[in-house]
Amino acid sequence: MIMAQAGSIELDTTSGTPRTLLRGDWTLAHYLVLRERLANQPKPERVDLSQLGQLDTAGASLLSDWLGAERLGLLVDQASDLPAERLALLRTVSSALRDVPVVCPPPPPSTTREVLEHIGTTVSGQFLQLRALLGFLGLTLASLVQSLWRPRRWRITSLAAHIEQIGLNAIPIIALLTFMVGAVVAFLGATVLEQFGATIYTVHLVAFSFLREFGVLLTAILMAGRTASAFTAQIGAMKANEEIDAIRALGLDPMELLVLPRVLAMLICLPILTFIAMLCGIVGGGVVSTLLLDVSPTLFLNILQTDIPVQHFYIGLVKAPFFAMLIAIIGCLEGFKASGSAKSVGDHTTSSVVQSIFVVILLDALAALFFMEMGW
């Protein structure tokens, strides 16, 4: 049995003019070996195809790539010693590859173009996210209005459970955090105001900051990290387990069953937690004032009663429902956007926290500018 031999490339100088001899089998079985040999082989001036062995389309395409389709066609016309079937194969491959247009690789994009493209993609994504948020907000409000006239569809048990989870369980951490922040604000205020002999105004600093800003802002940020992430994880896990599809199959509305109890619970709990945060922050500032500034609790309360207008309390408290609505809506929306994988649930949970905190701080800054311009 004669074993097939891979094709070879030899230089023949016996006839005076050097020429390249192609021998052996140029077939698919020897494709890798032949490609390696041709990779380091320069294009010859004269080629002799008369001693080719077995040949198929793989070998013919290699010859066409090495010599060029047009030159291979000229060599085929001159190689009268080859069998007719090999001449036909080489002629067909060379003519087919000759008609293939040369595709030039696209030029690499410039750095400026990549930066602008990234900016455009980010802005477009943010616009789509804002549109989805507004649409989901409208859908939630429509479901809320429809369910108000149908007491049988109220989810009292679910609402009570979420109030306990969102409100009662969050009181310790809200109280501790705001107490410590109030103490820090009072300490820093006393340190700075002492240089001007106005340490008594530390009481005003603590009261203004917690009634207008810190009370509602710290509470909203904590709820964004604690509750919005929980909403996203819960709804995302339900969607991954196809429980939401099962709810729809039973003829129930996921908005009424999953979203409305969470939104209403947040609307109820966040103003209450804000009030607790205001009290604890002022108490923390009062403790520091008593210990460092020799301001008695009676004097501290007297200053609060006489020098701090009640409108600051209203300004801080009126922002709580808006923050609550946005935090709950973002948390639920990201949960519905999660897909069936654990990675998707984690990514959307992180996204809900980031978006909630960003929206809360942005809205608080806009509200502060508005109230300042209104003279409130």
Side-chain angles (χ1 to χ4, degrees):
M1 181 176 180
I2 301 176
M3 299 297 294
Q5 182 179 4
S8 62
I9 306 171
E10 300 178 3
L11 181 63
D12 182 19
T13 58
T14 58
S15 60
T17 303
R19 60 176 181 170
T20 301
L21 299 178
L22 302 182
R23 295 176 177 176
D25 296 338
W26 290 68
T27 57
L28 181 62
H30 310 296
Y31 183 84
L32 296 178
V33 176
L34 292 172
R35 188 175 63 179
E36 292 179 0
R37 291 177 180 177
L38 291 177
N40 301 322
Q41 194 70 231
K43 291 185 178 181
E45 296 182 1
R46 297 184 60 189
V47 181
D48 188 355
L49 305 177
S50 60
Q51 301 184 27
L52 277 177
Q54 298 295 325
L55 182 68
D56 60 8
T57 53
S61 64
L62 280 176
L63 290 175
S64 178
D65 294 339
W66 181 45
L67 299 173
E70 294 184 1
R71 186 177 181 187
L72 180 61
L74 295 176
L75 291 175
V76 170
D77 295 336
Q78 300 171 3
S80 58
D81 298 337
L82 285 177
E85 64 273 9
R86 296 178 189 171
L87 289 175
L89 176 61
L90 290 172
R91 188 175 289 108
T92 302
V93 171
S94 64
S95 62
L97 295 179
R98 189 184 300 116
D99 297 334
V100 175
V102 179
V103 179
C104 298
S110 62
T111 304
T112 304
R113 181 177 178 180
E114 289 184 348
V115 171
L116 294 177
E117 181 179 359
H118 180 71
I119 294 174
T121 303
T122 303
V123 173
S124 176
Q126 294 298 325
F127 174 76
L128 294 177
Q129 177 66 27
L130 178 60
R131 188 175 67 176
L133 178 62
L134 294 177
F136 194 77
L137 177 61
L139 183 61
T140 303
L141 294 177
S143 300
L144 179 61
V145 172
Q146 292 176 0
S147 63
L148 287 178
W149 310 107
R150 301 174 183 177
R152 293 183 179 180
R153 305 182 70 169
W154 294 354
R155 308 292 175 177
I156 303 299
T157 303
S158 178
L159 178 62
H162 286 299
I163 288 176
E164 179 183 3
Q165 177 188 0
I166 297 172
L168 294 178
N169 296 341
I171 290 177
I173 187 173
I174 293 290
L176 177 61
L177 177 67
T178 52
F179 178 86
M180 299 300 296
V181 173
V184 170
V185 170
F187 179 77
L188 293 177
T191 303
V192 174
L193 294 175
E194 185 179 6
Q195 302 176 6
F196 306 96
T199 54
I200 193 64
Y201 289 102
T202 303
V203 180
H204 300 74
L205 174 64
V206 173
F208 282 137
S209 60
F210 272 89
L211 290 178
R212 293 181 68 98
E213 298 295 336
F214 285 168
V216 64
L217 187 60
L218 292 175
T219 305
I221 291 176
L222 280 177
M223 289 295 101
R226 180 181 182 274
T227 307
S229 60
F231 289 173
T232 304
Q234 292 166 2
I235 297 177
M238 293 179 66
K239 188 173 181 181
N241 296 329
E242 299 182 355
E243 296 178 29
I244 296 180
D245 295 334
I247 290 173
R248 291 192 177 99
L250 292 173
L252 301 175
D253 187 4
M255 295 296 297
E256 293 183 2
L257 193 65
L258 302 177
V259 178
L260 290 185
R262 288 174 168 83
V263 172
L264 292 176
M266 182 67 79
L267 286 172
I268 294 172
C269 293
L270 191 58
I272 298 175
L273 293 175
T274 299
F275 178 72
I276 295 174
M278 292 177 180
L279 291 180
C280 293
I282 292 174
V283 169
V287 170
V288 172
S289 299
T290 302
L291 296 178
L292 298 181
L293 308 179
D294 295 330
V295 177
S296 64
T298 303
L299 179 58
F300 188 89
L301 293 176
N302 186 41
I303 294 175
L304 288 179
Q305 184 178 3
T306 57
D307 295 348
I308 309 300
V310 71
Q311 69 178 17
H312 300 300
F313 169 74
Y314 295 144
I315 288 175
L317 202 61
V318 77
K319 294 184 286 188
F322 296 97
F323 292 167
M325 176 65 76
L326 289 174
I327 292 171
I329 291 297
I330 291 174
C332 295
L333 174 61
E334 291 298 318
F336 280 106
K337 289 168 62 176
S339 61
S341 63
K343 180 180 182 302
S344 177
V345 175
D347 292 341
H348 284 284
T349 301
T350 304
S351 177
S352 68
V353 175
V354 174
Q355 290 183 43
S356 300
I357 295 176
F358 175 78
V359 170
V360 163
I361 296 177
L362 177 62
L363 188 61
D364 183 74
L366 295 177
L369 293 176
F370 172 77
F371 291 135
M372 182 181 66
E373 291 295 330
M374 295 298 294
W376 296 346

mmCIF file of all heavy atoms in Angstrom, residues 289-326:
data_model
loop_
_atom_site.group_PDB
_atom_site.id
_atom_site.type_symbol
_atom_site.label_atom_id
_atom_site.label_comp_id
_atom_site.label_asym_id
_atom_site.label_seq_id
_atom_site.Cartn_x
_atom_site.Cartn_y
_atom_site.Cartn_z
ATOM 1 N N SER A 289 -23.852 69.354 72.857
ATOM 2 C CA SER A 289 -23.929 70.731 73.352
ATOM 3 C C SER A 289 -23.917 70.769 74.872
ATOM 4 O O SER A 289 -23.299 71.651 75.486
ATOM 5 C CB SER A 289 -25.203 71.405 72.821
ATOM 6 O OG SER A 289 -25.187 71.446 71.408
ATOM 7 N N THR A 290 -24.568 69.825 75.489
ATOM 8 C CA THR A 290 -24.599 69.783 76.952
ATOM 9 C C THR A 290 -23.236 69.438 77.522
ATOM 10 O O THR A 290 -22.796 70.015 78.533
ATOM 11 C CB THR A 290 -25.653 68.767 77.423
ATOM 12 O OG1 THR A 290 -26.932 69.141 76.896
ATOM 13 C CG2 THR A 290 -25.718 68.720 78.942
ATOM 14 N N LEU A 291 -22.536 68.494 76.885
ATOM 15 C CA LEU A 291 -21.262 68.026 77.427
ATOM 16 C C LEU A 291 -20.112 68.971 77.121
ATOM 17 O O LEU A 291 -19.207 69.140 77.956
ATOM 18 C CB LEU A 291 -20.943 66.637 76.867
ATOM 19 C CG LEU A 291 -21.919 65.514 77.254
ATOM 20 C CD1 LEU A 291 -21.519 64.205 76.599
ATOM 21 C CD2 LEU A 291 -21.989 65.354 78.775
ATOM 22 N N LEU A 292 -20.099 69.613 75.944
ATOM 23 C CA LEU A 292 -18.957 70.425 75.531
ATOM 24 C C LEU A 292 -19.198 71.921 75.642
ATOM 25 O O LEU A 292 -18.247 72.682 75.843
ATOM 26 C CB LEU A 292 -18.576 70.089 74.080
ATOM 27 C CG LEU A 292 -18.126 68.650 73.800
ATOM 28 C CD1 LEU A 292 -17.762 68.498 72.337
ATOM 29 C CD2 LEU A 292 -16.953 68.267 74.688
ATOM 30 N N LEU A 293 -20.443 72.366 75.465
ATOM 31 C CA LEU A 293 -20.720 73.794 75.406
ATOM 32 C C LEU A 293 -21.391 74.321 76.659
ATOM 33 O O LEU A 293 -21.720 75.511 76.718
ATOM 34 C CB LEU A 293 -21.606 74.094 74.194
ATOM 35 C CG LEU A 293 -21.113 73.560 72.842
ATOM 36 C CD1 LEU A 293 -22.109 73.908 71.752
ATOM 37 C CD2 LEU A 293 -19.737 74.107 72.529
ATOM 38 N N ASP A 294 -21.625 73.480 77.628
ATOM 39 C CA ASP A 294 -22.316 73.870 78.870
ATOM 40 C C ASP A 294 -23.686 74.480 78.567
ATOM 41 O O ASP A 294 -24.123 75.436 79.225
ATOM 42 C CB ASP A 294 -21.464 74.859 79.679
ATOM 43 C CG ASP A 294 -20.166 74.225 80.173
ATOM 44 O OD1 ASP A 294 -20.189 72.990 80.399
ATOM 45 O OD2 ASP A 294 -19.163 74.923 80.290
ATOM 46 N N VAL A 295 -24.340 73.926 77.543
ATOM 47 C CA VAL A 295 -25.703 74.347 77.216
ATOM 48 C C VAL A 295 -26.650 73.346 77.854
ATOM 49 O O VAL A 295 -26.659 72.161 77.490
ATOM 50 C CB VAL A 295 -25.921 74.412 75.692
ATOM 51 C CG1 VAL A 295 -27.367 74.771 75.366
ATOM 52 C CG2 VAL A 295 -24.966 75.419 75.059
ATOM 53 N N SER A 296 -27.418 73.799 78.807
ATOM 54 C CA SER A 296 -28.315 72.890 79.519
ATOM 55 C C SER A 296 -29.421 72.406 78.582
ATOM 56 O O SER A 296 -29.769 73.090 77.598
ATOM 57 C CB SER A 296 -28.927 73.590 80.728
ATOM 58 O OG SER A 296 -29.735 74.671 80.304
ATOM 59 N N PRO A 297 -29.997 71.244 78.851
ATOM 60 C CA PRO A 297 -31.130 70.780 78.027
ATOM 61 C C PRO A 297 -32.286 71.774 77.994
ATOM 62 O O PRO A 297 -32.957 71.912 76.978
ATOM 63 C CB PRO A 297 -31.525 69.457 78.689
ATOM 64 C CG PRO A 297 -30.274 68.989 79.367
ATOM 65 C CD PRO A 297 -29.570 70.237 79.831
ATOM 66 N N THR A 298 -32.504 72.479 79.117
ATOM 67 C CA THR A 298 -33.594 73.467 79.132
ATOM 68 C C THR A 298 -33.310 74.606 78.171
ATOM 69 O O THR A 298 -34.198 75.031 77.399
ATOM 70 C CB THR A 298 -33.777 74.017 80.554
ATOM 71 O OG1 THR A 298 -34.020 72.931 81.457
ATOM 72 C CG2 THR A 298 -34.935 74.986 80.606
ATOM 73 N N LEU A 299 -32.067 75.115 78.190
ATOM 74 C CA LEU A 299 -31.697 76.180 77.255
ATOM 75 C C LEU A 299 -31.747 75.681 75.814
ATOM 76 O O LEU A 299 -32.181 76.407 74.914
ATOM 77 C CB LEU A 299 -30.300 76.700 77.590
ATOM 78 C CG LEU A 299 -29.744 77.812 76.690
ATOM 79 C CD1 LEU A 299 -30.673 79.016 76.686
ATOM 80 C CD2 LEU A 299 -28.332 78.178 77.110
ATOM 81 N N PHE A 300 -31.304 74.462 75.593
ATOM 82 C CA PHE A 300 -31.321 73.881 74.252
ATOM 83 C C PHE A 300 -32.755 73.824 73.705
ATOM 84 O O PHE A 300 -33.026 74.239 72.573
ATOM 85 C CB PHE A 300 -30.701 72.478 74.289
ATOM 86 C CG PHE A 300 -30.488 71.853 72.950
ATOM 87 C CD1 PHE A 300 -29.308 72.041 72.257
ATOM 88 C CD2 PHE A 300 -31.466 71.065 72.372
ATOM 89 C CE1 PHE A 300 -29.110 71.477 71.009
ATOM 90 C CE2 PHE A 300 -31.284 70.487 71.130
ATOM 91 C CZ PHE A 300 -30.102 70.695 70.449
ATOM 92 N N LEU A 301 -33.678 73.328 74.524
ATOM 93 C CA LEU A 301 -35.078 73.246 74.093
ATOM 94 C C LEU A 301 -35.701 74.634 73.931
ATOM 95 O O LEU A 301 -36.541 74.850 73.042
ATOM 96 C CB LEU A 301 -35.883 72.426 75.100
ATOM 97 C CG LEU A 301 -35.523 70.930 75.182
ATOM 98 C CD1 LEU A 301 -36.315 70.260 76.287
ATOM 99 C CD2 LEU A 301 -35.784 70.242 73.843
ATOM 100 N N ASN A 302 -35.295 75.567 74.773
ATOM 101 C CA ASN A 302 -35.823 76.933 74.664
ATOM 102 C C ASN A 302 -35.395 77.582 73.345
ATOM 103 O O ASN A 302 -36.187 78.274 72.691
ATOM 104 C CB ASN A 302 -35.358 77.762 75.857
ATOM 105 C CG ASN A 302 -36.003 79.143 75.875
ATOM 106 O OD1 ASN A 302 -37.196 79.303 75.596
ATOM 107 N ND2 ASN A 302 -35.211 80.158 76.195
ATOM 108 N N ILE A 303 -34.121 77.373 72.959
ATOM 109 C CA ILE A 303 -33.654 77.924 71.681
ATOM 110 C C ILE A 303 -34.414 77.295 70.519
ATOM 111 O O ILE A 303 -34.806 77.968 69.559
ATOM 112 C CB ILE A 303 -32.136 77.711 71.543
ATOM 113 C CG1 ILE A 303 -31.387 78.530 72.594
ATOM 114 C CG2 ILE A 303 -31.666 78.090 70.138
ATOM 115 C CD1 ILE A 303 -29.890 78.277 72.611
ATOM 116 N N LEU A 304 -34.623 75.995 70.593
ATOM 117 C CA LEU A 304 -35.383 75.315 69.538
ATOM 118 C C LEU A 304 -36.799 75.882 69.419
ATOM 119 O O LEU A 304 -37.329 76.053 68.317
ATOM 120 C CB LEU A 304 -35.454 73.814 69.819
ATOM 121 C CG LEU A 304 -34.175 72.994 69.620
ATOM 122 C CD1 LEU A 304 -34.434 71.532 69.979
ATOM 123 C CD2 LEU A 304 -33.694 73.088 68.181
ATOM 124 N N GLN A 305 -37.388 76.177 70.560
ATOM 125 C CA GLN A 305 -38.784 76.636 70.550
ATOM 126 C C GLN A 305 -38.915 78.076 70.077
ATOM 127 O O GLN A 305 -39.880 78.428 69.397
ATOM 128 C CB GLN A 305 -39.384 76.471 71.944
ATOM 129 C CG GLN A 305 -40.856 76.836 72.032
ATOM 130 C CD GLN A 305 -41.422 76.601 73.427
ATOM 131 O OE1 GLN A 305 -40.703 76.214 74.335
ATOM 132 N NE2 GLN A 305 -42.711 76.853 73.588
ATOM 133 N N THR A 306 -37.963 78.912 70.433
ATOM 134 C CA THR A 306 -38.106 80.357 70.166
ATOM 135 C C THR A 306 -37.423 80.806 68.871
ATOM 136 O O THR A 306 -37.909 81.723 68.198
ATOM 137 C CB THR A 306 -37.536 81.160 71.342
ATOM 138 O OG1 THR A 306 -36.158 80.786 71.542
ATOM 139 C CG2 THR A 306 -38.331 80.878 72.608
ATOM 140 N N ASP A 307 -36.295 80.184 68.520
ATOM 141 C CA ASP A 307 -35.488 80.673 67.399
ATOM 142 C C ASP A 307 -35.608 79.845 66.115
ATOM 143 O O ASP A 307 -35.139 80.300 65.059
ATOM 144 C CB ASP A 307 -34.000 80.726 67.791
ATOM 145 C CG ASP A 307 -33.746 81.732 68.898
ATOM 146 O OD1 ASP A 307 -34.667 82.526 69.189
ATOM 147 O OD2 ASP A 307 -32.639 81.722 69.465
ATOM 148 N N ILE A 308 -36.172 78.667 66.196
ATOM 149 C CA ILE A 308 -36.256 77.798 65.012
ATOM 150 C C ILE A 308 -37.697 77.779 64.517
ATOM 151 O O ILE A 308 -38.579 77.223 65.184
ATOM 152 C CB ILE A 308 -35.780 76.368 65.328
ATOM 153 C CG1 ILE A 308 -34.406 76.383 66.000
ATOM 154 C CG2 ILE A 308 -35.763 75.535 64.057
ATOM 155 C CD1 ILE A 308 -33.311 77.014 65.167
ATOM 156 N N PRO A 309 -37.989 78.385 63.358
ATOM 157 C CA PRO A 309 -39.374 78.373 62.842
ATOM 158 C C PRO A 309 -39.821 76.956 62.492
ATOM 159 O O PRO A 309 -39.024 76.114 62.062
ATOM 160 C CB PRO A 309 -39.303 79.264 61.600
ATOM 161 C CG PRO A 309 -38.045 80.062 61.757
ATOM 162 C CD PRO A 309 -37.101 79.193 62.516
ATOM 163 N N VAL A 310 -41.090 76.687 62.644
ATOM 164 C CA VAL A 310 -41.631 75.368 62.379
ATOM 165 C C VAL A 310 -41.654 75.055 60.878
ATOM 166 O O VAL A 310 -41.769 73.886 60.481
ATOM 167 C CB VAL A 310 -43.046 75.247 62.973
ATOM 168 C CG1 VAL A 310 -44.039 76.088 62.160
ATOM 169 C CG2 VAL A 310 -43.495 73.801 63.057
ATOM 170 N N GLN A 311 -41.501 76.075 60.040
ATOM 171 C CA GLN A 311 -41.537 75.824 58.604
ATOM 172 C C GLN A 311 -40.372 74.942 58.150
ATOM 173 O O GLN A 311 -40.481 74.204 57.162
ATOM 174 C CB GLN A 311 -41.508 77.135 57.830
ATOM 175 C CG GLN A 311 -40.177 77.881 57.913
ATOM 176 C CD GLN A 311 -40.189 79.156 57.078
ATOM 177 O OE1 GLN A 311 -41.249 79.628 56.706
ATOM 178 N NE2 GLN A 311 -39.023 79.703 56.818
ATOM 179 N N HIS A 312 -39.251 74.980 58.863
ATOM 180 C CA HIS A 312 -38.121 74.127 58.508
ATOM 181 C C HIS A 312 -38.477 72.655 58.696
ATOM 182 O O HIS A 312 -38.034 71.797 57.925
ATOM 183 C CB HIS A 312 -36.899 74.492 59.347
ATOM 184 C CG HIS A 312 -36.458 75.909 59.172
ATOM 185 N ND1 HIS A 312 -36.071 76.430 57.958
ATOM 186 C CD2 HIS A 312 -36.355 76.939 60.065
ATOM 187 C CE1 HIS A 312 -35.729 77.702 58.099
ATOM 188 N NE2 HIS A 312 -35.897 78.034 59.378
ATOM 189 N N PHE A 313 -39.254 72.374 59.718
ATOM 190 C CA PHE A 313 -39.718 71.003 59.931
ATOM 191 C C PHE A 313 -40.634 70.565 58.788
ATOM 192 O O PHE A 313 -40.514 69.451 58.262
ATOM 193 C CB PHE A 313 -40.443 70.914 61.272
ATOM 194 C CG PHE A 313 -41.179 69.622 61.475
ATOM 195 C CD1 PHE A 313 -40.498 68.446 61.751
ATOM 196 C CD2 PHE A 313 -42.564 69.576 61.377
ATOM 197 C CE1 PHE A 313 -41.188 67.263 61.929
ATOM 198 C CE2 PHE A 313 -43.257 68.396 61.559
ATOM 199 C CZ PHE A 313 -42.563 67.239 61.829
ATOM 200 N N TYR A 314 -41.529 71.446 58.349
ATOM 201 C CA TYR A 314 -42.425 71.118 57.255
ATOM 202 C C TYR A 314 -41.670 70.926 55.943
ATOM 203 O O TYR A 314 -41.997 70.030 55.142
ATOM 204 C CB TYR A 314 -43.487 72.213 57.094
ATOM 205 C CG TYR A 314 -44.422 72.341 58.267
ATOM 206 C CD1 TYR A 314 -44.895 73.586 58.682
ATOM 207 C CD2 TYR A 314 -44.829 71.212 58.978
ATOM 208 C CE1 TYR A 314 -45.763 73.715 59.761
ATOM 209 C CE2 TYR A 314 -45.699 71.321 60.050
ATOM 210 C CZ TYR A 314 -46.158 72.566 60.448
ATOM 211 O OH TYR A 314 -47.011 72.680 61.521
ATOM 212 N N ILE A 315 -40.661 71.764 55.717
ATOM 213 C CA ILE A 315 -39.878 71.657 54.479
ATOM 214 C C ILE A 315 -39.162 70.319 54.416
ATOM 215 O O ILE A 315 -39.106 69.664 53.354
ATOM 216 C CB ILE A 315 -38.879 72.823 54.382
ATOM 217 C CG1 ILE A 315 -39.615 74.125 54.091
ATOM 218 C CG2 ILE A 315 -37.827 72.559 53.298
ATOM 219 C CD1 ILE A 315 -38.731 75.347 54.106
ATOM 220 N N GLY A 316 -38.607 69.880 55.534
ATOM 221 C CA GLY A 316 -37.939 68.579 55.542
ATOM 222 C C GLY A 316 -38.913 67.430 55.395
ATOM 223 O O GLY A 316 -38.637 66.450 54.690
ATOM 224 N N LEU A 317 -40.070 67.549 56.028
ATOM 225 C CA LEU A 317 -41.017 66.436 56.022
ATOM 226 C C LEU A 317 -41.757 66.319 54.699
ATOM 227 O O LEU A 317 -42.148 65.212 54.298
ATOM 228 C CB LEU A 317 -42.021 66.612 57.168
ATOM 229 C CG LEU A 317 -42.739 65.341 57.642
ATOM 230 C CD1 LEU A 317 -41.736 64.321 58.153
ATOM 231 C CD2 LEU A 317 -43.751 65.686 58.724
ATOM 232 N N VAL A 318 -41.948 67.422 53.980
ATOM 233 C CA VAL A 318 -42.716 67.365 52.740
ATOM 234 C C VAL A 318 -41.947 66.645 51.634
ATOM 235 O O VAL A 318 -42.551 66.160 50.659
ATOM 236 C CB VAL A 318 -43.094 68.795 52.303
ATOM 237 C CG1 VAL A 318 -41.895 69.510 51.675
ATOM 238 C CG2 VAL A 318 -44.266 68.770 51.330
ATOM 239 N N LYS A 319 -40.638 66.558 51.761
ATOM 240 C CA LYS A 319 -39.855 65.860 50.747
ATOM 241 C C LYS A 319 -39.891 64.346 50.908
ATOM 242 O O LYS A 319 -39.569 63.613 49.956
ATOM 243 C CB LYS A 319 -38.394 66.344 50.790
ATOM 244 C CG LYS A 319 -38.230 67.793 50.393
ATOM 245 C CD LYS A 319 -36.771 68.195 50.346
ATOM 246 C CE LYS A 319 -36.192 68.352 51.732
ATOM 247 N NZ LYS A 319 -34.821 68.918 51.718
ATOM 248 N N ALA A 320 -40.274 63.875 52.072
ATOM 249 C CA ALA A 320 -40.233 62.440 52.342
ATOM 250 C C ALA A 320 -41.136 61.628 51.415
ATOM 251 O O ALA A 320 -40.699 60.589 50.895
ATOM 252 C CB ALA A 320 -40.573 62.171 53.810
ATOM 253 N N PRO A 321 -42.394 62.002 51.164
ATOM 254 C CA PRO A 321 -43.223 61.181 50.260
ATOM 255 C C PRO A 321 -42.669 61.076 48.844
ATOM 256 O O PRO A 321 -42.776 60.024 48.206
ATOM 257 C CB PRO A 321 -44.583 61.898 50.287
ATOM 258 C CG PRO A 321 -44.590 62.677 51.550
ATOM 259 C CD PRO A 321 -43.187 63.088 51.772
ATOM 260 N N PHE A 322 -42.074 62.156 48.333
ATOM 261 C CA PHE A 322 -41.509 62.103 46.986
ATOM 262 C C PHE A 322 -40.312 61.143 46.934
ATOM 263 O O PHE A 322 -40.181 60.346 45.998
ATOM 264 C CB PHE A 322 -41.087 63.498 46.541
ATOM 265 C CG PHE A 322 -42.230 64.464 46.417
ATOM 266 C CD1 PHE A 322 -42.538 65.342 47.447
ATOM 267 C CD2 PHE A 322 -43.013 64.491 45.275
ATOM 268 C CE1 PHE A 322 -43.591 66.230 47.342
ATOM 269 C CE2 PHE A 322 -44.069 65.377 45.152
ATOM 270 C CZ PHE A 322 -44.369 66.249 46.190
ATOM 271 N N PHE A 323 -39.454 61.228 47.946
ATOM 272 C CA PHE A 323 -38.336 60.292 48.013
ATOM 273 C C PHE A 323 -38.837 58.863 48.140
ATOM 274 O O PHE A 323 -38.300 57.941 47.506
ATOM 275 C CB PHE A 323 -37.431 60.639 49.197
ATOM 276 C CG PHE A 323 -36.687 61.936 49.051
ATOM 277 C CD1 PHE A 323 -36.040 62.512 50.141
ATOM 278 C CD2 PHE A 323 -36.617 62.588 47.831
ATOM 279 C CE1 PHE A 323 -35.353 63.705 50.012
ATOM 280 C CE2 PHE A 323 -35.932 63.786 47.691
ATOM 281 C CZ PHE A 323 -35.298 64.343 48.789
ATOM 282 N N ALA A 324 -39.852 58.650 48.948
ATOM 283 C CA ALA A 324 -40.377 57.303 49.151
ATOM 284 C C ALA A 324 -40.925 56.724 47.853
ATOM 285 O O ALA A 324 -40.668 55.553 47.511
ATOM 286 C CB ALA A 324 -41.467 57.328 50.229
ATOM 287 N N MET A 325 -41.680 57.521 47.120
ATOM 288 C CA MET A 325 -42.251 57.049 45.862
ATOM 289 C C MET A 325 -41.154 56.666 44.874
ATOM 290 O O MET A 325 -41.194 55.599 44.252
ATOM 291 C CB MET A 325 -43.152 58.135 45.274
ATOM 292 C CG MET A 325 -43.728 57.803 43.906
ATOM 293 S SD MET A 325 -44.862 56.407 43.907
ATOM 294 C CE MET A 325 -46.310 57.203 44.628
ATOM 295 N N LEU A 326 -40.147 57.525 44.727
ATOM 296 C CA LEU A 326 -39.086 57.244 43.761
ATOM 297 C C LEU A 326 -38.258 56.025 44.158
ATOM 298 O O LEU A 326 -37.907 55.197 43.310
ATOM 299 C CB LEU A 326 -38.188 58.472 43.619
ATOM 300 C CG LEU A 326 -38.814 59.667 42.902
ATOM 301 C CD1 LEU A 326 -37.887 60.862 42.956
ATOM 302 C CD2 LEU A 326 -39.140 59.314 41.461
#
